[in-house]
Amino acid sequence: MTVDMDNADRPKPKGHSMKQKESAGASQPLVPKVSKPTLKNDTGSGEVRVVSHKHTPLFFSRWQMTSSDMLALLAISVVAVVVRCYGLSTPGSVVFDEVHFGKFAGKYINGTYFYDLHPPLAKMMFAVAGKLAGYDGVFDFKSIGLDYHAAGVPYVAMRLMPALLGAVTVPASFVVARACGYAADTAALAALLVCFENGLVTQSRLILLDSPLVFFTVLSLTAWSMFWTKQGQPFSRAWWFWLLTTGAMMGCAASCKWVGLFLFPAIGLSTVSDLWDKIADLSITPAKWVSHLVARAVGLLAVPFAVYMLWFYVHFAVLSKTGDGRAMMTPEFQAGLEGGLNVTTDRDVFYGSEIRIRSSNAASGYLHSHTHNWQHEKGSGQQQITLYSFADQNNIWVVEPAFNKTIDTSNGPVPVGDGDLIRLRHKITDKYLHSHDKKPALSSEDHKFELSGYGFPGFDGDSNDNFRVEILSGDKAMEGSDKTVQSIYTRFRLIHRNLGCAVFNSRKKLPKWAFEQIEVNCMRNCRPKMSTWHVEFARLPADNSTGTGSDTGADAQKGAGVRKARYRPLSVWGKIGEYNRLMANSNAHLTGDHPFAARPHHWPWLRRGTAYWGGFGNVIYQLGNPPVWWASFAAVAILFSMRAVLFLLDKRQISVTLGGQRRRYFSAAGFFAMAWICHYVPFFLMGRELFIHHYFPALWMAILVLAFTLDLLTSRMPSVVRWSVYIAAAAVTLYGFHTFSYITYARMWTKDACVRAKWLSTWDFDCEHAIGGARSTKSPETPTSPPPPPSLVVDIPAADAELQKAPAEPKPAEARAVTATPGGPKHVHVKPKFINTESTLLESVSNAEHVEL
């Protein structure tokens, strides 16, 4: 007889009976007798009749909370709150990523826009906690070790919020185990393992995003487990409540960090399996089956999507004022912020127009040059061409006809069109944009060439100054913007006539001799994304070099209604789309060499942790409870090994029911093991920088697998032995928790105790901060190794980070003359104000005003 692997403990034919026994005190599962439809031929006519039976293939329980469960939950909750909230005031200074997320809370309170590579919900929760506690948003959380007490920051209240969220995950673990049909002792053990896991405790005591993420992840799977207890009551109020709650919590988890998206394959696989089995249930009509499908689509797809959109809507509604993060966004996005980008310019670009060209990729800058030459070894030594983030006089270029070509302007200004060959002359230095067979500063590939400024008095240029305008797209609302170049509305590329390469934004930061601006080169076969440009400012002077004369210049036409262009602010949906695209790009480029980064294959073994903070005689080092980590990973490995062995035995028609626990174990532990895979394996595909805290959602799932596996192994043992195993597991957990509580709570300890706690040589918490160490007599300081993790440090390509703080460059003589004032020189690279660029560019520079990115 072939035995279904997940249902080997169904009633067997005579001769194969095995004793069914549930763990002591476990809630009774709903496991009706199941049989497959059989084929009968009892008519003697050759006709085969299908005899169907009710099909209920998946295990689920009918658990209802009892008074004893309530008492257990109350006791567990009290312990969890004490463990998570003990000593929240220590340390009284900024720790690790509080540098970022505490600052972001202040941005929400003040309504000033910022950019972060994570969704907004967790950060908004910290802002609410801070606002309720009296935080005014002024303290900037600038660096690790800044004193909270001196600034009067209500940091304890802000840390209390994630601590309470972390505490909730403990009783939730109890509920999950009970909902899966396990006894109260197994549920209590699962809660204890979660409660005294040092890594989860450390992360939930600080202003960090992972505590809200784990909270909503746990609540999602708790609601999903409760939903399964209502499978016998489809479409009832309770059934709908838990289904919709699951979807809402999934949306909240994804709104904290994108790691929450891993819930969708985990729950999705369970849903697909359920619906597939329902097809075989002949008591369910096709219409009813479609109802199940639609209900799950609404609850598990539509609801999470709506919740995710809702929190972004709130995010943009609160952050209405322009702020530091505007530089990461497109001009259209910035135009929608209060005090944001306000650009009005001539719409049409003519030969002779003075223009400012901007890279159309978000978080980029302007095509720029200055009186400094290339200094790299394989370069030409000609004038530098770079990308610069602020609008100044060195970004202005004059559009001229191609070398040895003239334009007839007798009938008025001639617009620049698609396919035109043009030259761009730098207005300040009179050098032409130029490319040739020289290598750029930061690249040596054969398909990349240097861009330079070339020319000198009496020299008319050469054909290497010629670039072809290739219009990619226009604004549908602006007629002709896809045929001729229009400011703001037309997106185009500049293709070198001789080399066939496109002007390309490499997003790489140049050396100090190029003032750490961004490299621009000429690249063949490049993607349009980083070689697309648009004109942000255009003005046709009354007297221009193309010979249009004073009668046809823009200055002469001011009274004649020169057509203008401006950025149109994005709708809230446009903002959400742009923000999410930018988050995806930032996460993809989150690479670096942080000293405490860890790859996924190191996580289950707890090879090393992360240094958070170091002070006088104490440290905070993110490290888990080793027995819990190692045992939980072993439990997952045991489950998959057992499944493989049982699969082979089933093929041999050898029935193994695991003491009657097989269906429940592989339904409950199997689900959480699959969820563990969904939350762990994807990290192997990521090239971005990772840390041990990325494993926490998967860790919680592995802990449940551990508790369920211990139940399976002890289910047929005498109760005394079973309880002894559970007590031993609890004792080992508490021992590990106590041993590493010093680095969890920043407790004082000696250097000798610190050294003894290094069970593995790869655990590199700094014992010199402990009493007796070299740093124990100094005032609190940050650890020697851990710089702030790369929330906005290494997650952004060089060009994007450059926009956060553009370095000043020496001004050429011409610029110094322009910006000189009776009161002394006014440097143009001050914090910019926003201007209407309808005024002339030199006037704006003389007032030290810029249009910011």
Side-chain angles (χ1 to χ4, degrees):
M1 175 180 176
T2 302
V3 182
D4 187 303
M5 180 178 172
D6 291 324
N7 299 291
D9 58 336
R10 294 176 183 172
K12 301 297 183 294
K14 187 175 181 179
H16 291 270
S17 175
M18 296 188 70
K19 186 177 180 180
Q20 307 282 321
K21 182 178 180 180
E22 293 291 339
S23 300
S27 58
Q28 293 301 313
L30 179 65
V31 190
K33 292 185 177 182
V34 183
S35 59
K36 297 180 180 178
T38 59
L39 300 179
K40 288 190 176 182
N41 182 4
D42 55 4
T43 63
S45 62
E47 179 182 357
V48 178
R49 294 187 298 110
V50 178
V51 181
S52 63
H53 302 275
K54 187 173 182 180
H55 185 80
T56 314
L58 293 181
F59 176 92
F60 59 92
S61 73
R62 289 184 182 274
W63 176 68
Q64 298 287 338
M65 189 173 295
T66 64
S67 57
S68 59
D69 288 328
M70 293 293 294
L71 290 174
L73 277 175
L74 178 60
I76 290 170
S77 299
V78 170
V79 174
V81 169
V82 172
V83 170
R84 293 302 196 274
C85 298
Y86 170 77
L88 282 178
S89 60
T90 303
S93 57
V94 178
V95 177
F96 197 59
D97 246 1
E98 289 184 337
V99 166
H100 303 297
F101 306 124
K103 174 181 65 180
F104 294 154
K107 299 287 187 181
Y108 279 114
I109 291 172
N110 295 323
T112 54
Y113 183 78
F114 67 91
Y115 169 77
D116 181 47
L117 76 165
H118 299 299
L121 177 56
K123 297 185 286 287
M124 290 194 292
M125 294 170 68
F126 284 116
V128 171
K131 182 67 174 179
L132 293 176
Y135 174 46
D136 59 7
V138 174
F139 184 75
D140 60 5
F141 295 84
K142 187 175 181 179
S143 61
I144 295 175
L146 281 183
D147 186 18
Y148 284 134
H149 299 285
V153 179
Y155 71 99
V156 174
M158 296 178 72
R159 288 177 178 173
L160 179 62
M161 187 271 291
L164 293 178
L165 297 184
V168 171
T169 64
V170 178
S173 303
F174 179 91
V175 171
V176 168
R178 294 291 283 142
C180 289
Y182 284 93
D185 56 351
T186 300
L189 177 63
L192 181 143
L193 295 173
V194 173
C195 182
F196 294 99
E197 202 299 294
N198 296 71
L200 294 175
V201 173
T202 302
Q203 203 72 8
S204 65
R205 294 167 41 78
L206 301 169
I207 306 172
L208 305 174
L209 301 187
D210 291 273
S211 183
L213 168 67
V214 173
F215 169 78
F216 286 117
T217 298
V218 171
L219 257 60
S220 297
L221 296 180
T222 302
W224 185 242
S225 300
M226 291 300 298
F227 170 73
W228 272 93
T229 67
K230 307 302 177 185
Q231 287 299 290
Q233 311 164 41
F235 305 106
S236 64
R237 289 184 179 181
W239 187 92
W240 274 109
F241 173 80
W242 289 116
L243 177 62
L244 298 179
T245 300
T246 300
M249 294 301 100
M250 291 169 68
C252 289
S255 299
C256 292
K257 294 180 78 171
W258 274 358
V259 174
L261 294 173
F262 295 154
L263 285 166
F264 287 83
I267 292 179
L269 289 172
S270 174
T271 301
V272 170
S273 176
D274 177 32
L275 292 174
W276 179 253
D277 279 300
K278 280 182 168 54
I279 291 178
D281 188 346
L282 299 183
S283 68
I284 297 179
T285 65
K288 182 69 72 174
W289 187 90
V290 170
S291 298
H292 277 282
L293 174 64
V294 172
R296 285 159 175 78
V298 170
L300 304 178
L301 293 176
V303 170
F305 178 79
V307 170
Y308 186 80
M309 292 293 107
L310 170 65
W311 294 124
F312 267 102
Y313 180 86
V314 175
H315 169 79
F316 291 123
V318 174
L319 300 180
S320 59
K321 304 174 185 176
T322 189
D324 294 340
R326 68 194 177 279
M328 300 298 301
M329 317 311 293
T330 62
E332 291 81 3
F333 188 106
Q334 297 180 47
L337 297 173
E338 181 182 336
L341 191 62
N342 180 20
V343 173
T344 301
T345 183
D346 291 1
R347 192 195 75 173
D348 298 302
V349 176
F350 301 103
Y351 286 93
S353 291
E354 297 177 356
I355 63 174
R356 183 167 61 243
I357 303 174
R358 179 172 186 161
S359 177
S360 298
N361 181 55
S364 292
Y366 302 94
L367 193 65
H368 178 92
S369 189
H370 42 229
T371 54
H372 299 276
N373 297 334
W374 289 120
Q375 299 179 23
H376 57 289
E377 182 178 354
K378 297 182 180 180
S380 63
Q382 297 172 7
Q383 186 167 296
Q384 296 172 9
I385 302 293
T386 65
L387 196 74
Y388 188 63
S389 56
F390 291 102
D392 67 11
Q393 80 282 9
N394 282 325
N395 302 336
I396 294 299
W397 301 84
V398 179
V399 182
E400 295 186 0
F403 176 67
N404 284 338
K405 183 178 179 181
T406 59
I407 296 294
D408 181 9
T409 60
S410 59
N411 294 323
V414 177
V416 177
D418 185 27
D420 284 5
L421 281 179
I422 65 170
R423 291 189 296 176
L424 293 175
R425 178 172 56 85
H426 191 242
K427 181 176 174 61
I428 294 294
T429 65
D430 273 335
K431 307 287 187 182
Y432 285 103
L433 181 67
H434 182 92
S435 190
H436 44 212
D437 192 12
K438 296 288 184 180
K439 296 305 175 189
L442 303 180
S443 304
S444 59
E445 293 90 342
D446 292 339
H447 61 283
K448 295 181 180 179
F449 305 93
E450 178 190 84
L451 281 176
S452 66
Y454 183 61
F456 48 87
F459 178 66
D460 293 333
D462 59 33
S463 61
N464 279 331
D465 302 336
N466 293 344
F467 289 83
R468 175 171 53 83
V469 177
E470 180 184 280
I471 293 180
L472 299 177
S473 64
D475 191 318
K476 294 180 180 179
M478 293 295 162
E479 184 179 356
S481 59
D482 59 342
K483 304 296 183 184
T484 61
V485 177
Q486 296 182 5
S487 297
I488 295 178
Y489 306 129
T490 300
R491 297 296 187 266
F492 60 88
R493 303 171 79 199
L494 293 172
I495 309 298
H496 192 261
R497 177 66 178 82
N498 293 339
L499 296 174
C501 55
V503 178
F504 179 78
N505 170 12
S506 75
R507 297 192 295 178
K508 296 178 180 178
K509 183 183 291 187
L510 289 162
K512 291 185 180 297
W513 51 258
F515 313 106
E516 297 183 322
Q517 296 175 6
I518 304 306
E519 182 195 52
V520 184
N521 58 46
C522 198
M523 180 176 174
R524 288 175 179 157
N525 303 318
C526 58
R527 295 180 300 169
K529 178 180 179 182
M530 302 310 300
S531 60
T532 300
W533 306 82
H534 67 272
V535 174
E536 185 174 273
F537 168 83
R539 180 177 70 91
L540 183 63
D543 184 13
N544 63 77
S545 60
T546 62
T548 55
S550 59
D551 293 336
T552 57
D555 290 347
Q557 298 182 47
K558 284 185 177 179
V562 176
R563 289 177 292 189
K564 299 295 181 180
R566 67 177 65 245
Y567 290 115
R568 285 194 292 271
L570 293 178
S571 66
V572 65
W573 305 113
K575 289 181 178 180
I576 293 174
E578 178 177 323
Y579 198 99
N580 279 266
R581 287 192 297 271
L582 188 55
M583 285 196 301
N585 183 64
S586 296
N587 276 282
H589 289 86
L590 184 59
T591 57
D593 55 355
H594 193 282
F596 289 93
R599 295 306 300 170
H601 62 278
H602 293 150
W603 299 344
W605 305 107
L606 200 60
R607 181 179 180 273
R608 70 186 306 222
T610 307
Y612 275 11
W613 177 89
F616 175 69
N618 53 355
V619 298
I620 295 180
Y621 184 89
Q622 174 64 277
L623 189 72
N625 188 331
V628 174
W629 283 58
W630 297 336
S632 61
F633 179 61
V636 173
I638 289 172
L639 182 144
F640 287 117
S641 299
M642 290 174 57
R643 194 160 187 118
V645 170
L646 290 176
F647 177 78
L648 295 176
L649 292 176
D650 290 342
K651 285 296 184 181
R652 299 291 297 173
Q653 300 186 18
I654 300 174
S655 175
V656 178
T657 64
L658 301 179
Q661 306 300 311
R662 179 168 173 174
R663 291 186 64 211
R664 182 178 67 182
Y665 179 70
F666 283 117
S667 291
F671 167 74
F672 285 102
M674 185 57 63
W676 176 86
I677 289 178
C678 293
H679 283 77
Y680 176 54
V681 172
F683 287 108
F684 285 92
L685 307 177
M686 298 182 187
R688 57 155 290 177
E689 200 164 50
L690 299 170
F691 295 85
I692 196 172
H693 60 254
H694 289 108
Y695 184 63
F696 286 158
L699 172 65
W700 178 80
M701 299 159 197
I703 290 174
L704 289 179
V705 175
L706 172 60
F708 298 163
T709 301
L710 287 175
D711 177 272
L712 174 68
L713 297 176
T714 61
S715 61
R716 305 199 67 176
M717 293 180 180
S719 58
V720 174
V721 178
R722 174 184 171 89
W723 273 93
S724 298
V725 172
Y726 278 27
I727 291 173
V732 171
T733 299
L734 291 173
Y735 173 76
F737 177 78
H738 176 266
T739 300
F740 298 99
S741 63
Y742 294 91
I743 57 177
T744 298
Y745 294 103
R747 296 172 60 193
M748 293 289 186
W749 65 346
T750 65
K751 182 177 179 179
D752 290 341
C754 176
V755 172
R756 288 195 302 271
K758 290 190 175 183
W759 295 1
L760 298 181
S761 60
T762 52
W763 294 350
D764 48 0
F765 41 85
D766 190 355
C767 292
E768 296 301 326
H769 281 280
I771 296 174
R775 297 184 181 89
S776 63
T777 59
K778 298 180 180 180
S779 56
E781 58 180 286
T782 61
T784 57
S785 303
S791 180
L792 276 177
V793 179
V794 298
D795 56 317
I796 305 170
D800 303 350
E802 181 73 10
L803 298 182
Q804 299 293 326
K805 184 180 179 181
E809 61 170 358
K811 296 186 292 295
E814 296 90 340
R816 285 196 295 272
V818 170
T819 59
T821 63
K826 181 183 288 186
H827 199 285
V828 298
H829 297 293
V830 297
K831 186 175 182 179
K833 299 178 182 178
F834 294 92
I835 64 167
N836 186 313
T837 56
E838 191 171 4
S839 60
T840 65
L841 184 69
L842 292 182
E843 289 174 344
S844 71
V845 172
S846 66
N847 292 317
E849 293 179 331
H850 307 273
V851 178
E852 290 193 37
L853 281 169

